[in-house]
């Protein structure tokens, strides 16, 4: 009785009943309705040899017999895919034979030292045997260790109470060659919880029964209602002990194995990778033909477009470079941009090689495709260092189109940030790309070049770029200093040093030189958002009243918004206001039309989303900047989903008004800049210069300019799982967005009115597929969610009087939302069981209230208009 592992008696045959079950279902569902299957069999175990010098070193032989495959839940005959089929028919003759060939284990102190089996057996049957062999590994004293079994090398803890042993395996700690990837932003990603426990009951120093259970749960972080689980159970029960074969004599294990059967080979106990072959899978071009009609540009705000995009990405991920090129080269101009979106989003080495071979940056006629390729790189869910290197090489080469050159370096900035976020900041190609952008910015002479590298830094958010950004914010003019300031605004406040705050205070209070309103208000926002001191807040509040007219109103509105929305600095602001009671009234009763306002779009149990809208006018009623933001956040992370900024300057001459102080010499300009899913895009210009403005105004059709159109892969999660009973499982979640954002600005000199319009049309499709694949049967569950919606933002300004009237409208249309869950069990022959449930609902539309003052103004604007119909000019 001095053994520390289970011990078998000589000349006995232990007969066990074994079963391995898998279940796949929704997380909260009971297992009675789950999809799945059960493999059951007899298992015979006998002792072959015991080491004469060490009782605790034993060779045991394990044989699987009488294999059955059945449903895990009762199914009526019509729905039972195994009905009327023998095991040999279901599993296949050679597989069944392989499964029933015995294995031999060398157990030393209860741990599996060596696993012997036959070579050239199918990997799948080998893994089922490994799953059974791993159950025989246990220790008879409490404690933790790292041990190897079918799951790899894992932290394992044993709790021993008399004849019961509990084994807990920490599956997150297992070292294996795992396949898969996750999404860049946690909000868009999938959370995983895993557990594994085995309970042993011993009798007469050997095993009486074993029950093992392993659970995998996958949840969408932004909607935890949507998720799946895989449950895998194994059970081994001793049925009888009979007289069995005698021991084999011998000193060494090797000799005993040779005597037994010279074909036995020692193999790793860790599972071997098994790749399922795809039967009857369509080729990539066949797949493309079947979804092509959903990919026309005018259908890009439909859920079918997003769904087709995701299924196409899955196919591209299995395709060769040649197959991908064949589809690209055979497509027409209208559909090619969508193909480029999908090929680039697939992010395999083959897809990258194919697209780089197809695109010629020296040819300006394909610049639309080059731009779609670059944006898809910027939105990449798990970009590789190779992708950044490819872009850096292109940037150093010839590029025909100047706008593409700008977009390229802006996207390099986004990739640097994503790679740094994943701990890749020191990778050689990341270091090279960082150096390139910083060095070129220092040497840049032309404003256009400076702007392009600043935009790249606005994406890269490198801590070492802060001193450069400060220099440009404080010492440069207009648009350049404004851009540098908005780049600093995107940094996490923890990076904003004392020096940053001192510079922002100097800019806001104009200690060294006169700055434009746009830069001063950004500087104030940075100060108020990064844990401001009492004095900093007090000085800002004291300045209100001394500022140019509209800027007074804007700053006042910003302070009110901080209080109303309970932002982090609201406590300090309240304290300062309390102490400043005496000279408040005059200062805080300013007229004007500028405003800043934040509110919730949705507040949910998992994620919430907010919008913020601020508008700054010049004293004569012409828009200087409108800024609309949408943020999504949960307890741990935040995502800047979108920002649309419309900026204008030097437009006073159109309405023969006087420019504000310090803005007399600004060139006429209007344009739009957008951030989408944390990526700053290349800004677009509506017009530049007075001549350009007049020609556009006289031909104004009011047609909005397209800012972003395309397909984006948002959620991209794929994990392969080795179940401890032998089969492999996979969890894959893909979320796609079809998007169409346009914006425009129109003037009517007749009504002295201007209109800014931003339309966001989006469709989201998400599919999650969790599957257990045993060669002869697949079981799984597919979940889909889809929603189509549109968010419109319109601001109308009438500047025939002062203060001029401004009406802002933000509307979300009624949106259809659909979800489906399909559970299935299927055989390679095509015989299939499915259970499908769906739900459709309309999410009500919403006119966002913005603020009371705005509601009052809208009544006036639309009241005034009803009696004066007529065309715009």
């Amino acid at each position: 009785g001095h053994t520390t592992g289970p011990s078998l008696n000589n000349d006995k045959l232990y007969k066990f009943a074994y079963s391995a079950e898998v279940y796949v279902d929704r997380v909260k569902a009971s297992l009675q309705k789950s999809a799945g299957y059960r493999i059951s069999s007899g298992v015979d175990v006998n002792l072959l040899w015991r080491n004469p010098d060490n009782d605790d070193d034993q060779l045991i032989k394990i044989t699987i017999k009488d294999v059955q495959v059945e449903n895990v839940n009762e199914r009526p005959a019509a729905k039972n895919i195994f009905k009327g089929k023998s095991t040999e028919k279901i599993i296949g003759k050679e597989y069944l034979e392989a499964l029933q060939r015995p294995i031999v284990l060398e157990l030393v102190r209860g741990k599996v030292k060596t696993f012997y089996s036959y070579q050239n057996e199918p990997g799948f049957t080998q893994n089922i045997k490994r799953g059974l062999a791993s159950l025989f590994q246990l220790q008879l004293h409490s404690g933790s260790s790292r041990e190897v079994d079918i799951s790899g090398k894992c932290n394992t803890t044993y709790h021993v109470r008399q004849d019961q042993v509990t084994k807990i395996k920490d599956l997150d700690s297992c070292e294996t060659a795992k396949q898969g990837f996750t999404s860049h932003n946690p909000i868009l990603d999938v959370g995983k919880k895993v557990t594994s426990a085995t309970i042993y009951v011993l009798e007469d120093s050997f095993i009486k029964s074993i029950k093992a259970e392993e659970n995998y749960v996958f949840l969408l972080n932004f909607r935890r209602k949507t998720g799946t689980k895989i449950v895998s159970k194994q059970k081994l029960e001793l049925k009888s002990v009979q007289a069995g074969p005698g021991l084999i004599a011998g000193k060494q294990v090797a000799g005993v194995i040779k005597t037994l059967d010279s074909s036995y080979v020692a193999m790793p106990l860790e599972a071997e990778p098994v790749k399922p072959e795809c039967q009857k899978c369509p080729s990539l071009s066949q797949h493309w033909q079947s979804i092509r009609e959903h990919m026309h540009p005018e259908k890009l705000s439909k859920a079918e477009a997003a769904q087709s995009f995701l299924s196409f990405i899955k196919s591209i991920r299995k395709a060769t470079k040649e197959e991908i090129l064949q589809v690209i080269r055979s497509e027409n101009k209208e559909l090619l941009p969508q193909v480029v979106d999908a090929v680039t989003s697939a992010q395999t080495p083959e897809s990258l090689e194919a697209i780089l071979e197809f695109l010629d940056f020296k040819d300006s006629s394909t610049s639309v495709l080059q731009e779609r390729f670059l944006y898809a790189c910027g939105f990449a869910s798990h970009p590789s260092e190779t992708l950044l290197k490819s872009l850096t090489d292109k940037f150093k080469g010839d590029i025909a189109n100047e706008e593409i050159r700008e977009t390229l370096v802006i996207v390099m900035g986004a990739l640097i940030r994503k790679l740094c976020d994943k701990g890749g900041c020191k990778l050689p190609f990341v270091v090279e790309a960082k150096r390139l952008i910083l060095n070129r910015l220092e040497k840049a002479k032309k404003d256009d070049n400076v702007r392009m590298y600043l935009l790249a830094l606005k994406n890269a958010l490198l801590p070492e770029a802060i001193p450069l950004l400060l220099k440009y914010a404080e010492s440069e003019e207009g648009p350049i200093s404004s851009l540098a300031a908005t780049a600093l605004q995107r940094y996490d406040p923890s990076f904003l040093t004392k020096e940053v705050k001192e510079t922002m205070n100097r800019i806001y209070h104009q200690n060294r030189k006169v700055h434009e309103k746009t830069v001063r208000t950004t500087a104030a926002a940075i100060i108020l958002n990064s844990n401001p001191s009492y004095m900093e807040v007090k000085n800002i509040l004291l300045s209100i009243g001394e500022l140019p007219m509209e800027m007074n109103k804007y700053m006042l509105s910003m302070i009110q918004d901080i209080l109303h929305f309970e932002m982090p600095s609201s406590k300090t602001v309240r304290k300062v206001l309390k102490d400043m009671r005496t000279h408040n009234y005059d200062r805080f009763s300013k007229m004007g039309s500028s405003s800043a306002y934040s509110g919730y779009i949705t507040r949910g149990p998992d994620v919430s989303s907010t919008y913020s809208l601020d508008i700054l006018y010049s004293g004569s009623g012409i828009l200087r900047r409108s800024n609309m933001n949408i943020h999504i956040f949960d307890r741990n992370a935040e995502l800047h989903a979108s920002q649309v900024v419309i900026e204008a300057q030097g437009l006073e001459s159109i309405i023969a008004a006087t420019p504000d102080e310090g803005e007399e010499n600004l060139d006429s300009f209007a344009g739009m800049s957008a951030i989408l899913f944390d990526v700053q895009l290349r800004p677009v210009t509506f017009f530049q210069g007075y001549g350009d403005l007049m020609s556009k105004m006289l031909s104004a059709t009011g047609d909005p300019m397209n800012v972003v159109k395309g397909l984006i892969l948002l959620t991209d999660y794929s994990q392969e799982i080795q179940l401890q009973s032998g089969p492999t499982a996979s969890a894959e979640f893909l979320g796609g967005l079809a998007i169409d954002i346009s914006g425009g600005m129109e003037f009517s000199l007749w009504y002295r009115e201007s209109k800014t319009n931003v339309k966001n049309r989006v469709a989201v499709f998400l599919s999650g597929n969790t599957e257990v694949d045993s060669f002869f049967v697949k079981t799984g569950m597919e979940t889909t969610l889809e929603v189509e919606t549109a968010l419109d933002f319109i601001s109308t300004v009438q500047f025939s009087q002062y203060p001029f009237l401004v009406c802002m409208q933000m509307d979300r249309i009624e949106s259809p939302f659909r979800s489906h869950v399909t559970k299935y069990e299927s055989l390679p022959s095509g015989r299939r069981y499915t259970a499908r449930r769906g739900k459709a609902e309309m999410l009500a539309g919403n006119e966002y209230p913005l603020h009371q003052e705005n509601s009052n103004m809208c009544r006036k604007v639309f009241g005034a208009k009803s009696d004066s119909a007529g065309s715009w000019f």
Side-chain angles (χ1 to χ4, degrees):
H2 59 269
T3 55
T4 54
S7 171
L8 286 78
N9 291 327
N10 305 1
D11 313 329
K12 295 284 185 218
L13 180 65
Y14 295 81
K15 290 184 97 56
F16 288 90
Y18 176 62
S19 72
E21 301 172 339
V22 293
Y23 301 82
V24 185
D25 211 331
R26 293 198 320 267
V27 180
K28 293 258 171 27
S30 78
L31 298 181
Q32 275 83 22
K33 294 205 171 135
S34 303
Y37 56 87
R38 175 189 299 119
I39 299 175
S40 51
S41 72
V43 170
D44 288 359
V45 181
N46 64 293
L47 183 68
L48 291 173
W49 171 84
R50 184 176 270 126
N51 188 336
D53 304 326
N54 174 8
D55 278 3
D56 229 351
D57 178 2
Q58 333 173 59
L59 271 185
I60 66 170
K61 177 170 150 189
I62 301 175
T63 313
I64 294 176
K65 30 181 33 169
D66 309 325
V67 181
Q68 299 287 317
V69 181
E70 55 203 344
N71 289 119
V72 74
N73 282 315
E74 289 293 315
R75 299 245 181 270
K79 295 191 169 180
N80 181 350
I81 57 169
F82 304 120
K83 174 107 180 100
K85 286 184 180 257
S86 66
T87 305
E88 186 174 302
K89 191 95 203 271
I90 297 169
I91 295 185
K93 191 165 188 267
E94 83 176 282
Y95 276 66
L96 191 56
E97 282 172 2
L99 200 51
Q100 299 185 350
R101 276 185 219 123
I103 52 171
V104 174
L105 303 183
E106 182 183 3
L107 291 177
V108 177
R109 287 195 292 283
K111 302 292 170 88
V112 178
K113 185 181 173 194
T114 327
F115 168 76
Y116 295 97
S117 187
Y118 295 98
Q119 247 173 335
N120 304 329
E121 261 190 29
F124 172 68
T125 55
Q126 208 72 281
N127 283 347
I128 285 191
K129 294 180 188 180
R130 288 183 168 108
L132 179 58
S134 299
L135 288 178
F136 284 88
Q137 172 157 283
L138 83 154
Q139 65 183 41
L140 299 183
H141 58 275
S142 296
S144 298
S145 63
R146 276 183 84 65
E147 54 178 51
V148 175
D149 69 1
I150 181 169
S151 311
K153 190 173 192 178
C154 314
N155 294 344
T156 310
T157 307
Y158 289 90
H159 299 282
V160 180
R161 282 216 334 262
Q162 288 148 332
D163 283 338
Q164 187 171 314
V165 180
T166 306
K167 169 161 89 173
I168 305 286
K169 188 158 62 177
D170 175 6
L171 291 170
D172 285 325
S173 71
C174 299
E175 276 172 44
T176 50
K178 286 212 179 71
Q179 293 297 308
F181 37 81
T182 59
S183 306
H184 171 255
N185 188 298
I187 289 181
L188 302 170
D189 208 26
V190 173
K192 177 174 99 169
K193 290 189 191 133
V194 290
T195 56
S196 162
T198 308
I199 295 173
Y200 295 84
V201 177
L202 305 175
E203 189 176 74
D204 191 18
S205 81
F206 194 50
I207 291 161
K208 183 185 179 190
S209 72
I210 306 177
K211 278 185 182 162
E213 184 172 317
E214 186 180 29
N215 283 280
Y216 288 84
V217 171
F218 300 92
L219 297 167
L220 274 181
N221 288 343
F222 63 84
R223 191 176 191 270
R224 298 173 75 85
K225 250 203 245 178
T226 302
T228 57
K229 67 176 167 193
I230 299 172
V231 179
S232 159
K233 297 183 176 192
Q234 288 165 282
K235 204 156 84 183
L236 190 72
E237 283 184 298
L238 183 63
K239 290 298 180 197
S240 66
V241 182
Q242 305 172 2
L247 296 188
I248 300 173
K251 277 269 187 226
Q252 302 296 330
V253 172
V256 176
I257 292 284
K258 218 176 210 118
T259 313
L260 183 68
D261 184 340
S262 58
S263 317
Y264 271 124
V265 218
M267 292 187 174
L269 187 55
E270 186 182 327
E272 62 187 89
V274 177
K275 269 283 159 254
E277 283 303 303
C278 188
Q279 257 89 41
K280 307 196 200 69
C281 277
S283 70
L284 188 64
S285 55
Q286 283 170 326
H287 185 171
W288 171 245
Q289 289 307 322
S290 71
I291 58 168
R292 205 173 159 261
E293 59 167 311
H294 299 305
M295 301 298 244
H296 284 278
E298 66 278 7
K299 294 186 180 168
L300 282 195
S301 49
K302 291 273 171 264
E304 289 81 18
Q307 180 178 12
S308 305
F309 169 64
L310 297 181
S311 70
F312 193 38
I313 287 175
K314 285 188 187 180
S315 294
I316 297 169
R317 285 181 169 166
K318 299 184 187 113
T320 63
K321 176 179 146 184
E322 279 60 42
E323 291 172 304
I324 298 169
L325 277 168
Q326 184 195 343
V327 172
I328 298 178
R329 292 199 166 119
S330 63
E331 202 36 270
N332 69 26
K333 198 162 96 214
E334 196 191 17
L335 288 161
L336 255 177
Q338 288 73 266
V339 175
V340 170
D341 285 339
V343 170
T344 314
S345 301
Q347 301 170 76
T348 62
E350 292 77 9
S351 64
L352 180 60
E353 279 176 33
I355 194 80
L356 288 173
E357 184 170 315
F358 171 70
L359 290 175
D360 177 6
F361 284 80
K362 298 186 187 69
D363 173 6
S364 62
S365 71
T366 58
S367 59
V368 170
L369 299 177
Q370 294 164 34
E371 183 172 73
R372 287 288 270 268
F373 160 69
L374 290 170
Y375 281 151
C377 292
F379 295 128
S381 50
H382 50 273
S384 64
E385 195 192 355
T386 323
L387 177 59
L388 180 60
K389 178 184 183 335
S390 310
L391 296 190
T392 309
D393 293 346
K394 288 283 176 231
F395 186 69
K396 291 176 176 167
D398 289 341
I399 299 169
N401 180 318
E402 195 46 45
E403 291 185 345
I404 292 298
R405 203 175 120 74
E406 283 185 31
T407 308
L408 180 47
V409 78
I410 292 170
V411 166
M412 282 167 61
L415 292 179
I416 290 171
R417 178 177 177 199
K418 285 186 174 181
L419 289 162
C420 283
D421 281 350
K422 288 270 188 258
C425 241
K426 302 265 192 315
L427 294 168
F429 297 128
V430 179
V431 172
E432 185 196 347
K434 287 198 290 193
R435 200 177 297 136
L436 177 104
I437 292 170
L438 291 167
N439 290 348
R440 298 256 180 123
L441 175 58
E442 300 217 26
K443 295 197 185 81
K445 295 280 178 282
K446 292 210 323 258
D447 270 7
D448 285 356
N449 283 339
V450 171
R451 191 183 78 151
M452 141 174 127
Y453 295 117
L454 285 176
L455 285 162
L457 290 177
K458 191 172 173 181
N459 271 333
L461 298 180
L462 303 170
E464 62 267 39
I466 290 178
L468 261 176
L469 292 171
L470 288 176
K471 184 187 95 176
Y472 281 104
E474 189 168 26
S475 56
E476 283 300 322
E477 295 308 314
I480 296 286
S481 86
S482 182
L483 175 54
T486 58
L488 287 163
Q489 199 175 10
R490 290 198 70 201
Y491 280 84
D492 187 270
S494 60
F495 285 105
L496 302 179
T497 54
K498 184 161 151 275
E499 192 190 355
V500 175
K501 293 178 81 173
E502 283 169 0
T503 310
M504 292 303 116
N505 278 296
R506 281 199 304 271
I507 291 174
Y508 177 73
H509 297 292
Q510 306 196 100
N511 303 48
R512 289 191 180 167
K513 60 178 264 198
V514 173
H515 292 278
E516 282 182 41
K517 290 197 285 285
T518 45
V519 186
R520 293 178 69 190
T521 50
T522 304
I526 291 172
I527 297 164
L528 291 169
N529 191 32
S530 39
N531 196 10
S533 68
Y534 181 89
M535 275 321 289
E536 282 177 316
V537 173
K538 185 165 182 179
N539 286 335
I540 287 177
L541 286 172
L542 284 171
S543 72
I544 296 177
E546 321 296 322
L547 303 166
M549 260 192 324
E550 282 295 327
M551 187 170 160
N552 265 328
K553 183 70 173 54
Y554 181 88
M555 288 306 300
L556 189 54
S557 190
M558 187 195 280
I559 296 289
Q560 284 164 339
D561 194 39
I562 288 172
L563 297 172
H564 137 88
F565 206 63
E566 298 281 337
M567 291 176 193
S569 57
S570 57
K571 285 196 180 67
T572 314
V573 173
R574 278 208 167 84
K575 195 165 182 306
V576 175
L577 282 171
K578 220 171 108 193
D579 300 349
M580 282 176 61
R581 270 199 311 261
T582 48
H583 37 254
N584 268 359
Y585 182 75
D586 175 51
R587 180 175 318 258
F588 295 152
S589 60
K590 291 299 167 195
M591 283 189 5
S593 306
S594 300
S595 66
Y597 190 77
S598 307
Y600 280 97
I601 299 178
T602 56
R603 297 180 85 156
D606 308 313
V607 297
S608 296
S609 54
T610 58
Y611 65 88
S612 67
L613 180 59
D614 59 87
I615 296 202
L616 176 63
Y617 293 94
S618 69
S620 53
I622 297 256
L623 176 78
R624 283 293 267 119
R625 182 184 64 212
S626 94
N627 183 352
M628 163 88 189
N629 286 282
I630 296 177
H631 282 91
I632 302 173
F633 54 92
D634 63 12
R635 289 179 200 86
N636 317 312
E638 182 180 355
L639 173 63
H640 197 167
S642 78
Q643 177 186 66
V644 179
V645 179
I646 294 182
E647 285 208 58
Q649 63 176 41
L651 303 188
E652 281 73 15
S653 50
I654 319 173
I655 58 165
T658 320
D660 291 0
E661 181 196 6
E663 300 191 353
E664 295 84 2
N665 304 325
L666 293 178
D667 197 14
S668 300
F669 162 83
M672 178 161 172
S673 161
I675 290 174
L676 201 55
F677 298 107
D678 273 332
V679 179
Q680 164 74 50
L681 310 181
R682 185 180 56 78
V684 291
T685 300
F686 296 150
F687 48 78
Q688 176 92 49
Y690 189 69
D692 187 23
L693 161 66
M694 289 322 277
S695 67
K696 289 219 167 93
M697 266 184 66
L698 295 171
S699 65
T701 50
D703 282 350
M705 265 178 86
N706 186 38
V707 185
V708 188
K709 196 184 192 111
L711 296 150
I712 300 173
L713 180 61
L714 289 181
T715 295
D716 192 11
Y717 180 91
S718 168
Q719 294 292 308
E720 306 238 322
I721 302 151
Q722 176 60 54
L723 296 179
Q724 54 195 27
S725 56
T728 48
S730 61
E732 182 178 50
F733 287 82
L734 288 175
L737 178 77
I739 190 163
D740 192 340
I741 298 183
S742 53
M745 194 169 180
E746 15 175 345
F747 284 96
S748 157
L749 292 181
W750 190 257
Y751 290 121
R752 298 180 75 83
E753 181 172 275
S754 81
K755 243 188 186 176
T756 331
N757 188 344
V758 178
K759 277 184 171 351
N760 298 284
R761 303 215 164 327
V762 294
V764 180
F765 191 89
L766 191 122
S767 76
N769 193 9
T770 311
E771 182 170 85
V772 179
D773 188 352
S774 303
F775 261 60
F776 53 88
V777 56
K778 274 187 167 78
T779 182
M781 178 172 117
E782 197 165 309
T783 310
T784 62
L785 298 177
E786 58 183 272
V787 64
E788 289 169 15
T789 189
L791 193 65
D792 288 347
F793 165 60
I794 302 164
S795 65
T796 311
V797 185
Q798 291 182 348
F799 36 75
S800 47
Q801 66 198 67
Y802 191 84
F804 35 85
L805 298 174
V806 181
C807 166
M808 295 180 288
Q809 295 155 284
M810 186 164 109
D811 299 337
R812 190 184 72 214
I813 60 166
E814 188 181 47
S815 320
F817 174 84
R818 290 184 282 275
S819 59
H820 285 102
V821 173
T822 308
K823 293 184 252 190
Y824 59 88
E825 296 160 358
S826 71
L827 296 176
S829 64
R831 196 189 269 199
R832 191 176 166 94
Y833 157 76
T834 53
R836 183 177 161 90
R837 289 178 50 186
K839 185 168 131 194
E841 52 186 309
M842 281 308 256
L843 304 176
N846 193 351
E847 273 192 41
Y848 290 92
L850 304 175
H851 40 86
Q852 187 54 50
E853 199 178 330
N854 181 56
S855 311
N856 300 343
M857 282 231 195
C858 288
R859 281 195 208 96
K860 285 191 191 166
V861 169
F862 290 108
K865 281 190 73 171
S866 54
D867 51 37
S868 53
S871 75
W872 275 71
F873 281 101

